[in-house]
Amino acid sequence: MSISLCIITKNEEKRLENCLNNVKNIADEIIIADTGSEDRTKEIAKKFTDKVYDFEWKDDFSEARNFSIKKATKEWILVLDPDETISNKDLMKIKKLTKEDKEIMGYSFIQRTYSNTRGKLKWNYSKNDFYNESKPFLGWTYKGITRLFRNDKRIRFIYPIHETVIESIKNINGKIKQTNMPIHHFEILKGKNFIDKKSKYYIKLLKNKTKLYPKAKFYFELVLELKNLNKHKEAKKYFDKSIELNPYYKKLT
């Protein structure tokens, strides 16, 4: 089955080429939605594809993602960020997934976000790991993420941040299968200043998200970002709210 690779970008000249070189052999088409780059991002993208589009950023990751996947013409869609890669040992496994069970609408992966600072939540050490991608780093935090799915107009991303297609797949009674394959996320290479700036921006979006969708897990997302910036007093306020809505989150401290 054919695959459309869909990526949204902004000022990713240092990471994009590595990402595209990594997965180009399993992508039947590459679609780039650029949200306002001021560096060589689009120039680099055009080395790999003529499907490079401008998209006006609106503080909503789902809007940008959905713009990109609407351009897709192949049977399956693979979504990556420019600072992510997939191990060479897993690439052909992804191609095989698209030829398996016809009832499967999407596949989930394990996003590994590498770090040299030990995380408290969902942390693994790199020592003895068999993926070379992990070797330069102390370890990683992880989360499940659905990034490969059928090109079906009913499948769309929702939420302005930490966007997902899971709900739209469930709404059509579609099945999502777990793969346990990692997507390697190298945000750490962008430096602490970038990560701190990103956390501040994410906090803004997450506060808006909790107003639109006042759910426990979204308050907890906000807690994690606030802790990244050592805003523990403010984090506690939102943590108490998440526990109020769902006592389960008390176990994650």
Side-chain angles (χ1 to χ4, degrees):
M1 296 285 188
S2 56
I3 297 175
S4 296
L5 173 65
C6 295
I7 298 178
I8 61 174
T9 59
K10 184 178 180 181
N11 296 332
E12 293 284 0
E13 65 178 6
K14 293 181 180 179
R15 299 299 309 167
L16 181 60
E17 189 159 7
N18 181 61
C19 173
L20 293 177
N21 274 324
N22 170 239
V23 294
K24 65 182 181 182
N25 289 334
I26 65 164
D28 298 282
E29 74 174 349
I30 297 172
I31 295 164
I32 306 292
D34 188 80
T35 63
S37 290
E38 298 171 335
D39 61 3
R40 295 178 55 250
T41 295
K42 290 196 289 184
E43 177 185 336
I44 292 167
K46 288 175 182 177
K47 293 183 190 178
F48 296 86
T49 178
D50 59 355
K51 296 182 178 182
V52 180
Y53 304 95
D54 291 315
F55 180 78
E56 182 182 354
W57 182 247
K58 301 172 184 176
D59 289 335
D60 191 320
F61 284 92
S62 282
E63 280 199 42
R65 296 279 191 210
N66 289 334
F67 172 83
S68 69
I69 67 177
K70 284 178 182 177
K71 302 290 184 182
T73 65
K74 306 307 178 182
E75 295 159 291
W76 284 81
I77 293 172
L78 173 65
V79 172
L80 289 178
D81 284 335
D83 57 358
E84 295 176 334
T85 63
I86 296 169
S87 176
N88 289 334
K89 68 179 71 177
D90 290 330
L91 286 174
M92 294 316 297
K93 293 179 186 176
I94 290 176
K95 200 72 173 177
K96 288 179 181 178
L97 290 177
T98 65
K99 301 174 183 177
E100 292 183 356
D101 194 334
K102 292 182 180 180
E103 294 185 0
I104 301 299
M105 297 297 290
Y107 290 95
S108 69
F109 298 80
I110 304 298
Q111 185 191 49
R112 294 181 172 193
T113 297
Y114 291 106
S115 176
N116 288 319
T117 303
R118 186 189 183 284
K120 293 183 179 179
L121 185 64
K122 296 183 177 180
W123 171 264
N124 277 291
Y125 283 103
S126 293
K127 186 178 180 181
N128 299 324
D129 182 57
F130 55 86
Y131 279 99
N132 290 330
E133 286 85 353
S134 71
K135 302 305 182 186
F137 311 106
L138 180 66
W140 69 87
T141 55
Y142 67 92
K143 66 178 180 179
I145 193 162
T146 301
R147 290 288 195 82
L148 179 68
F149 48 90
R150 293 186 186 274
N151 188 356
D152 184 314
K153 64 181 181 180
R154 298 172 296 174
I155 300 177
R156 290 293 180 264
F157 285 92
I158 61 170
Y159 305 129
I161 182 171
H162 299 323
E163 65 283 4
T164 180
V165 295
I166 292 175
E167 277 86 345
S168 63
I169 291 176
K170 288 182 177 179
N171 286 341
I172 58 174
N173 296 316
K175 294 181 180 179
I176 298 173
K177 185 176 181 179
Q178 295 181 349
T179 68
N180 294 321
M181 279 189 283
I183 291 177
H184 304 277
H185 184 209
F186 300 106
E187 181 182 67
I188 185 176
L189 299 178
K190 296 179 178 180
K192 187 177 185 302
N193 287 341
F194 173 87
I195 293 172
D196 287 349
K197 184 177 179 181
K198 175 185 172 183
S199 284
K200 290 177 183 177
Y201 180 60
Y202 274 25
I203 287 168
K204 171 188 170 183
L205 296 187
L206 285 166
K207 285 182 177 179
N208 183 54
K209 182 179 181 180
T210 57
K211 290 177 183 177
L212 295 172
Y213 310 96
K215 298 181 180 181
K217 64 179 179 178
F218 301 151
Y219 282 107
F220 193 72
E221 290 173 353
L222 180 53
V223 169
L224 296 179
E225 289 296 342
L226 287 165
K227 283 187 173 182
N228 286 343
L229 295 177
N230 295 315
K231 295 187 176 184
H232 299 291
K233 185 176 180 179
E234 188 176 3
K236 185 181 184 305
K237 179 179 73 171
Y238 291 105
F239 181 54
D240 290 344
K241 184 65 177 178
S242 67
I243 294 173
E244 177 188 329
L245 294 171
N246 187 344
Y248 161 80
Y249 286 93
K250 192 172 184 177
K251 300 177 182 179
L252 300 181
T253 55

